[in-house]
Amino acid sequence: TNAADPIAGNLPTAPGVSGGYMAVVNAAYGINNAVQQTVTGLCPDTYYEFSAWFRNICRRCSCDTSGKGSGSAGFKNYMAPVIPNTNDSAGVLPNLTFQVGGVDYYTTGNLDYNGQWVKKGFLYKTGPAQTTANIVIRNNAPGGGGNDWVMDDVAFATCLPGLNMRPSKSPTFCLNGQIRMSVIVNSFYSNYSYYQWERSTDGGVTWAAAPFTPAPLLMTYTYVSPNYKDTVTYPSFLATAAMNGHKYRLRIATSLTNIANNSCAVYNATDIITITVNPAATCVPLPAEIFNFN
C-alpha cells in the first residue's frame, strides 16, 4: 500500500516493526473462495472498480508449470532461459475469478512468476436500486505444486467527478457588484448526469437549494479525453452586504434519487465557493458620453 513503485511494492520492514497486512495464500487442492464479503452502502446507477493487487511468490516449487516434478524428464528449470516466463519451476500458476452477486465477471488468467505485484480488476455498474453486493475472489487453480500467492488492497471503489470552482473558492466582490460563479466538472464517467446548486447562510452548518436554481438540472458533457467535461454556471446577481460569507457548492449525482441522498451525492467540505462582499468598495456605473447621435 502506498508504495513509491506499486509494481515492486514496499521493502520489508525491520524485525518487530508493523508493516501493514496482506493475505498470503498457500492454495489447497480444492478450488475455493479467497475473498467473500457483502459490501453495503453502495449507490445505485454508479460505476465501481472491483480490484486487488496480486503477486505470484512461487519461483521454485516442487514441479514446473506443466506438472512435471523436479526429478522427471523434461522438467523446466527456473534457471533457464530467463525469468519471467512460463518455462520455470513455478508449478501451478494462480488463476483468479472476480464474482459479484453470484455471477463471474472477470478472470485474471494465469499469473506468471515475475517477482512483481500486478493489479487486476474490472468495472461494475450497480443496478437502478442496488445498494449492496456480495463480492467474491475465487481461486480457480488447484493447489499442490505451486499456486502460492499474496493479495493486497482489495477495493470496491468509485471514481468521483473533480470540481474546479470559478472564479475561485474565495472570491471578493464589491458592494452592488455583479457576482458570477461557475464550476468546471471533470468526470471519468458520463452517468453523473444531474447537478444542483446549494447555498449555506450559516457558515456551512446547513445547506439548502440555492434560490435562483432550486431544482436539479442536467449536465451537457463534452468528451475531452480521458474525461467528460462540462461547465455549469450559476445565474449572476448583485452583491449586498447581507450576502457576505454566503457559501455555494455543487451537488452532483447519477440520478434524481441519488441527488437527494447525502451518501450518493458528490459534495465535500473543500469544493465550496465562499463569497466575501467588501462594503468599502462600492461598484458604480462608469461615466458614459455620447460622441455621435442620429
Side-chain angles (χ1 to χ4, degrees), residues 95-119:
N95 187 300
L96 306 159
T97 291
F98 288 67
Q99 183 186 96
V100 180
V103 178
D104 293 349
Y105 281 91
Y106 172 76
T107 299
T108 64
N110 290 337
L111 300 178
D112 293 340
Y113 174 85
N114 59 11
Q116 296 179 331
W117 288 91
V118 59
K119 184 180 181 181

Side-chain angles (χ1 to χ4, degrees), residues 38-52:
T38 298
V39 181
T40 60
L42 301 178
C43 296
D45 289 319
T46 302
Y47 285 102
Y48 287 88
E49 180 190 81
F50 182 15
S51 64

Side-chain angles (χ1 to χ4, degrees), residues 50-115:
F50 182 15
S51 64
W53 286 81
F54 301 95
R55 184 170 177 171
N56 185 338
I57 57 173
C58 190
R59 177 173 181 171
R60 187 177 186 183
C61 296
S62 58
C63 63
D64 63 18
T65 52
S66 64
K68 294 184 177 66
S70 57
S72 304
F75 171 72
K76 300 173 182 177
N77 194 294
Y78 83 103
M79 296 294 292
V82 178
I83 300 293
N85 57 67
T86 56
N87 296 323
D88 56 27
S89 56
V92 178
L93 298 177
N95 187 300
L96 306 159
T97 291
F98 288 67
Q99 183 186 96
V100 180
V103 178
D104 293 349
Y105 281 91
Y106 172 76
T107 299
T108 64
N110 290 337
L111 300 178
D112 293 340
Y113 174 85
N114 59 11

